[in-house]
Amino acid sequence: MNNSAARYLMNLNELPFSQVSVHDIASTLDSTGHMTTSTDLCGFFLCLQGTADVSINDHTFHIQRGDVYFYTPSTFLYVESHSNDLEGIAVKCNLNFVLPLMENVIDGRLIMLMREKPCVTLTDVQQKSTEQLITTLRMRQAMLGNLRSTKEENKVLSELVLSLAQAVFYELLYYYTSQNKLGSTQPDARDHVFHTFIFSLFKNYKREREVAFYAEEQQLSPRYFSSIVKEKSGHSALHWIVLVVISAARQQLRNTNKTIKEIALDFNFPTQSFFGKYFKQYVGVGPKEYRLNERNIETGK
């Protein structure tokens, strides 16, 4: 492999985002039609043609032309059905690429809202504008793959591609925020604390369930950290931790055939019994009974 080819591959591998086709997405679904996104990836899907009925974190959405679906880390996705002519643009981003972009422009509460309400519908003009940006991004990515480019050209093109990716991200974020307003309060240092906590929680909830861990990440005492989270979100840090852990555990129990022991290990509980007690504490029933109840509901028993 010549030096130009090596530089090209290095540049592509270092890009913090990638575009995938609908067929690529379909290939990642398991035999039941389920998929859980990575803890360090997020992104969006813009529907250009066709329809799909998708269950996202227990809520069903009918996606059609012009709809944009945003997914946050560790989103549980179930494709209930889709038309044969479904087409769209899917982009996945590294969390470390997205976090700095969002940090100064949106409230941390909006991130949680996006998890619960992930879809917005674009107007024809908005969709056309977004498609044009993405087309330009694709063209520049193709130029980045030109093996005759010099080192300096590749460096400039890499920065250009990153800038265009940021533009696409901000364009869609603008459309989302214009349809989901939370108020016009000016972000401050405490917003940054909550914002950082939520993203860290998405990445670490399977390993860390103690408030002290997330407080220490930001060099704050657990008590002070919790007071900031409570002030900014209306809920304690423990509430958010339990919400994400239990929500994910419920989805595993309801939508997969993993054993309870396997789920307990996946969530880093020391024993199946410990997981059962934790789950029952917040749900009211143990994981075995919860799974049985949910499956009885599905079958109409």
Side-chain angles (χ1 to χ4, degrees):
M1 179 182 295
N2 60 38
N3 290 335
S4 295
R7 284 198 301 272
Y8 164 55
L9 292 176
M10 178 188 69
N11 284 333
L12 288 185
N13 289 333
E14 289 178 352
L15 291 176
F17 59 87
S18 61
Q19 298 178 50
V20 295
S21 70
V22 173
H23 300 294
D24 293 330
I25 297 173
S27 68
T28 65
L29 300 175
D30 63 24
S31 59
T32 66
H34 294 89
M35 177 180 71
T36 303
T37 63
S38 169
T39 57
D40 61 354
L41 290 177
C42 55
F44 67 86
F45 173 72
L46 170 61
C47 183
L48 301 177
Q49 178 179 300
T51 62
D53 289 309
V54 181
S55 175
I56 304 164
N57 291 332
D58 303 331
H59 300 287
T60 299
F61 299 90
H62 180 72
I63 298 175
Q64 57 191 2
R65 182 181 182 277
D67 287 348
V68 179
Y69 152 59
F70 298 87
Y71 65 87
T72 54
S74 299
T75 296
F76 200 87
L77 172 71
Y78 171 54
V79 179
E80 297 177 358
S81 63
H82 65 84
S83 62
N84 292 330
D85 62 341
L86 179 65
E87 289 185 11
I89 299 170
V91 173
K92 58 183 180 181
C93 307
N94 186 295
L95 196 59
N96 292 328
F97 170 70
V98 173
L99 180 56
L101 302 182
M102 300 179 74
E103 198 166 45
N104 296 320
V105 295
I106 69 170
D107 190 314
R109 293 172 298 166
L110 192 67
I111 302 169
M112 298 307 291
L113 177 63
M114 193 175 284
R115 189 172 177 84
E116 295 300 316
K117 189 180 178 182
C119 295
V120 293
T121 300
L122 305 186
T123 65
D124 288 341
V125 172
Q126 291 170 341
Q127 180 177 331
K128 184 176 180 180
S129 175
T130 302
E131 286 186 65
Q132 288 175 339
L133 274 174
I134 293 174
T135 297
T136 303
L137 173 59
R138 284 173 166 167
M139 290 172 58
R140 296 310 185 193
Q141 281 184 289
M143 290 177 64
L144 187 59
N146 185 346
L147 300 186
R148 293 173 295 178
S149 298
T150 65
K151 179 179 179 179
E152 291 73 21
E153 288 173 321
N154 270 343
K155 186 174 181 180
V156 173
L157 280 173
S158 294
E159 292 300 321
L160 177 57
V161 167
L162 289 176
S163 297
L164 286 169
Q166 291 176 3
V168 171
F169 174 82
Y170 282 130
E171 181 89 358
L172 291 175
L173 188 60
Y174 170 71
Y175 297 145
Y176 186 89
T177 54
S178 66
Q179 296 183 37
N180 297 278
K181 294 180 172 59
L182 288 176
S184 57
T185 56
Q186 187 69 24
D188 57 22
R190 294 190 170 201
D191 286 296
H192 174 74
V193 170
F194 177 65
H195 186 99
T196 302
F197 163 57
I198 291 300
F199 270 92
S200 178
L201 179 58
F202 286 150
K203 293 174 66 175
N204 297 302
Y205 74 89
K206 284 189 176 182
R207 300 191 306 272
E208 303 291 346
R209 293 180 295 276
E210 299 295 330
V211 173
F213 168 83
Y214 298 98
E216 186 177 344
E217 274 195 318
Q218 302 194 54
Q219 299 181 327
L220 299 171
S221 71
R223 184 174 180 178
Y224 181 56
F225 171 75
S226 294
S227 70
I228 293 175
V229 173
K230 175 77 172 178
E231 175 193 332
K232 290 300 176 182
S233 69
H235 297 286
S236 67
L238 180 61
H239 168 89
W240 290 116
I241 295 169
V242 171
L243 179 69
V244 173
V245 172
I246 292 299
S247 175
R250 278 175 165 168
Q251 292 162 14
Q252 294 274 11
L253 289 165
R254 184 169 53 251
N255 299 312
T256 77
N257 291 319
K258 289 182 179 180
T259 66
I260 295 174
K261 183 178 181 179
E262 288 173 334
I263 295 173
L265 290 173
D266 186 34
F267 282 71
N268 202 35
F269 283 91
T271 65
Q272 178 179 331
S273 175
F274 194 92
F275 168 65
K277 291 177 181 177
Y278 183 93
F279 188 88
K280 187 173 183 178
Q281 177 182 354
Y282 296 107
V283 179
V285 297
K288 183 177 181 180
E289 184 179 352
Y290 176 82
R291 169 174 273 175
L292 181 61
N293 290 342
E294 290 298 311
R295 291 188 175 177
N296 285 340
I297 291 173
E298 288 181 4
T299 58
K301 294 183 180 179

